[in-house]
């Protein structure tokens, strides 16, 4: 029985009703890292690892949530929406944001589980937030557009959960399209779906199995460093609103010698945006090898200039780079652990997998887990609700 079916069975047993079933995917990002909160570009896609949710309305104001995978339960009420400091906050945050936007809700029941590996940086929290927002929009006919749901999830994460993340993860999970990446301009929120012309090439994630506690504090520090660069340049160029408006010439002239740390952070972001634009052009021309080179450039920038990598991620990229059939490799997501993303030729996949597993184990004592990702549609209904028999 699939996980979605198991969730539906569990829901029927618990709540004696037929659920609405939602699938809400995790994401990868091909290039454009730490650019979303700098009003830059990102190139993510929704993948076939997802949060699944069985959900149905209640007649009262109660909230009954079951986290199927960890066998935990939360019971609360719409009348008392405060952080619970647990997984329930991802759901409560979305409910709170809906209420703040003036939507009237009733209580609801839900059972959810997932196939997104935890702590691997594949955005299970964004997928969960999107799942519940999407579900409530359906259940209570709120009439919200997908983009509004994306913004709602981001506010839930920023204001209720307390993680000051950008918009990429929610956007990718909600707006994904099978077989395509999303080129998102995080300033205007304009987006296109360049087709992925990568026949015979697979997207492979290598999980470092490392999650440094640094990730949250360093993420906030990087944001602050970029903001400091922008604030300084604004005194000279009043039209600058974000690093999107900044050029390497401006950085070289005003920051390189006087504020070397801020210079490196800002220069990474300005260059990463350019790598993304050049990379998309290469992909559109079907030149995956050229795209792969931009991925290596991205990793080097993240590791040396933005300093959000770690020895394990650098090692995984270093091993991958030496393997036949690997076109590109880089750390993915916030950094300090999680996965690398690799473009690997299908006919070399087995030897890639064996070599990287063995060498990583030999050098770190850790196992790496490999995940092959297919690109799928964003958050969607799997089966419409029918009356309980
Ligand atoms: C995390 C955040 C995203 C983005 C990436 C880095 O995944 O949730 O908003 O900033 O880091 O690109």
């Amino acid at each position: 029985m699939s996980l979605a079916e198991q969730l539906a069975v569990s829901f029927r047993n618990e709540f004696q009703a037929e659920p609405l079933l939602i699938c809400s995917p995790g994401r990868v990002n091909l290039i454009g890292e730490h650019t979303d909160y700098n009003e830059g570009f990102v190139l993510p896609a929704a993948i076939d690892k997802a949060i699944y949710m069985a959900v149905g309305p209640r007649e009262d104001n109660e909230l009954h949530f079951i986290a199927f995978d960890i066998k935990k339960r939360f019971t609360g009420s719409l009348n008392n929406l405060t952080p619970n400091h647990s997984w329930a906050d991802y759901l409560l945050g979305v409910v709170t944001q809906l209420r703040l936007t003036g939507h009237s809700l009733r209580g609801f029941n839900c059972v959810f589980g997932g196939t997104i590996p935890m702590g691997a940086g594949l955005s299970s929290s964004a997928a969960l937030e999107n799942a519940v927002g999407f579900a409530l929009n359906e259940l209570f006919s709120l009439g919200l557009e997908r983009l509004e749901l994306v913004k709602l999830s981001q506010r839930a994460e920023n204001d209720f959960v307390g993680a000051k993340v950008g918009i990429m993860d929610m956007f990718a999970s909600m707006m994904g399209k099978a077989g395509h990446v999303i080129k998102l301009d995080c300033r205007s929120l304009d987006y296109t779906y360049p087709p992925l012309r990568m026949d015979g090439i697979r997207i492979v994630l290598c999980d470092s199995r490392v999650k440094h506690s640094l990730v949250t504090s360093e993420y906030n520090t990087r944001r602050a460093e970029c903001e400091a660069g922008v604030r300084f340049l604004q005194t000279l160029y009043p039209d600058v609103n974000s690093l999107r408006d900044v050029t390497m010439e401006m950085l070289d002239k005003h920051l390189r010698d006087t504020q070397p740390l801020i210079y490196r952070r800002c220069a990474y972001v300005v260059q990463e945006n350019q790598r993304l634009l050049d990379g998309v052009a290469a992909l559109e021309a079907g030149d995956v090898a050229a795209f792969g080179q931009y991925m290596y450039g991205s990793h080097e920038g993240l590791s040396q200039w933005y300093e959000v990598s770690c020895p394990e991620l650098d090692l995984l990229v270093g091993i991958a780079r030496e393997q036949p059939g690997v076109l590109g490799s880089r750390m993915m997501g916030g950094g300090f652990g999680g996965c690398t993303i690799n473009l690997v030729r299908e006919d070399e996949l087995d030897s890639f997998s064996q070599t990287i597993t063995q060498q990583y184990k030999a050098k770190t004592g850790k196992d790496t887990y490999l995940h092959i990702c297919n690109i799928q549609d964003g958050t969607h209904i799997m089966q419409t609700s029918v009356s309980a028999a």
Side-chain angles (χ1 to χ4, degrees):
M1 211 191 305
S2 73
L3 174 60
E5 285 162 347
Q6 292 177 54
L7 298 174
V9 169
S10 163
F11 185 95
R12 288 184 199 113
N13 291 340
E14 281 287 335
F15 304 115
Q16 290 76 50
E18 194 61 26
L20 177 72
L21 272 182
I22 307 286
C23 168
S24 191
R27 64 102 188 88
V28 290
N29 184 28
L30 267 77
I31 197 163
E33 216 65 84
H34 286 273
T35 44
D36 60 353
Y37 54 83
N38 285 306
E39 297 197 340
F41 296 101
V42 291
L43 197 69
I47 56 172
D48 55 349
K49 304 188 188 314
I51 295 283
Y52 296 92
M53 180 177 279
V55 57
R58 295 178 61 89
E59 293 302 326
D60 56 21
N61 274 349
E62 289 186 12
L63 303 168
H64 291 251
F65 308 153
I66 297 177
F68 184 82
D69 301 326
I70 53 171
K71 305 203 169 17
K72 291 255 160 60
R73 196 179 268 273
F74 169 88
T75 307
S77 162
L78 285 178
N79 306 329
N80 178 24
L81 291 168
T82 49
N84 183 253
H85 307 292
S86 75
W87 52 269
D89 286 356
Y90 297 111
L91 297 97
L92 295 172
V94 172
V95 172
T96 301
Q97 289 302 327
L98 279 170
R99 297 267 294 228
L100 284 174
T101 344
H103 292 285
S104 65
L105 304 173
R106 292 205 313 276
F108 63 98
N109 302 317
C110 86
V111 184
F112 72 90
T115 53
I116 306 176
M118 283 297 165
L122 305 184
S123 302
S124 51
S125 50
L128 179 53
E129 288 152 351
N130 280 351
V132 72
F134 193 90
L136 297 181
N137 193 35
E138 288 295 319
L139 289 183
F140 301 120
S141 304
L142 305 178
L144 291 164
E145 301 284 338
R146 278 178 182 265
L147 192 53
E148 293 176 274
L149 293 172
V150 169
K151 292 180 186 167
L152 200 94
S153 291
Q154 192 192 9
R155 287 202 302 274
E157 181 99 24
N158 288 172
D159 300 345
F160 196 88
V161 178
K164 301 286 172 210
V165 297
I167 201 167
M168 169 171 74
D169 303 346
M170 300 77 188
F171 197 101
S173 165
M174 180 68 75
M175 310 295 277
K177 182 167 158 183
H180 293 73
V181 285
I182 310 171
K183 180 187 165 209
L184 171 65
D185 177 340
C186 298
R187 175 160 67 179
S188 62
L189 297 186
D190 287 343
Y191 58 99
T192 54
Y193 293 106
L196 256 197
R197 294 167 56 192
M198 297 208 305
D199 288 347
I201 296 165
R202 305 303 301 264
I203 296 173
V204 184
L205 305 179
C206 296
D207 190 345
S208 66
R209 315 275 316 286
V210 176
K211 195 167 167 59
H212 287 299
S213 52
L214 282 175
V215 64
T216 310
S217 63
E218 290 294 315
Y219 189 91
N220 292 337
T221 306
R222 293 302 172 280
R223 284 193 78 137
E225 288 163 348
C226 292
E227 283 159 16
V230 169
R231 267 199 311 278
F232 177 78
L233 288 170
Q234 276 170 339
T235 60
L236 304 164
Y237 305 92
D239 289 346
V240 165
N241 284 312
S242 68
L243 288 180
R244 181 69 176 277
D245 305 314
V246 169
T247 60
M248 281 307 292
E249 289 70 32
M250 287 153 83
L251 295 175
D252 287 344
K253 193 162 165 203
H254 302 293
L255 283 171
R256 189 177 50 203
D257 301 329
T258 49
Q259 302 186 54
L261 181 82
I262 302 292
Y263 171 79
R264 288 214 311 279
R265 305 301 192 235
C266 294
Y268 160 76
V269 173
V270 170
Q271 289 173 350
E272 181 75 349
N273 280 324
Q274 191 56 47
R275 269 190 291 268
L276 183 144
L277 295 174
D278 295 342
V280 169
L283 269 191
E284 281 173 342
D287 191 348
V288 187
F291 182 80
Q293 292 304 313
Y294 292 115
M295 291 175 76
Y296 288 124
S298 169
H299 184 78
E300 200 181 314
L302 286 160
S303 179
Q304 307 298 318
W305 288 53
Y306 213 62
E307 296 181 278
V308 291
S309 185
C310 63
E312 293 85 350
L313 290 170
D314 290 346
L315 178 65
L316 283 172
V317 171
I319 301 171
R321 210 178 176 138
E322 300 303 315
Q323 301 315 304
V326 176
L327 289 105
S329 176
R330 54 181 284 274
M331 58 149 276
M332 190 180 76
F336 301 101
C339 291
T340 61
I341 178 168
N342 305 269
L343 300 184
V344 184
R345 279 192 212 290
E346 224 151 23
D347 49 6
E348 299 279 1
L349 205 54
D350 287 345
S351 71
F352 171 75
S353 153
Q354 270 179 21
T355 314
I356 202 153
T357 312
Q358 280 165 7
Q359 292 195 13
Y360 190 66
K361 178 90 178 178
K363 294 199 170 122
T364 63
K366 292 190 188 69
D367 293 311
T368 172
Y369 290 156
L370 268 56
H371 306 283
I372 297 175
C373 295
N374 296 303
I375 295 185
Q376 73 151 37
D377 286 336
T379 311
H380 58 275
I381 296 177
M382 299 183 70
Q383 169 202 306
T384 41
S385 179
V386 290
S387 308

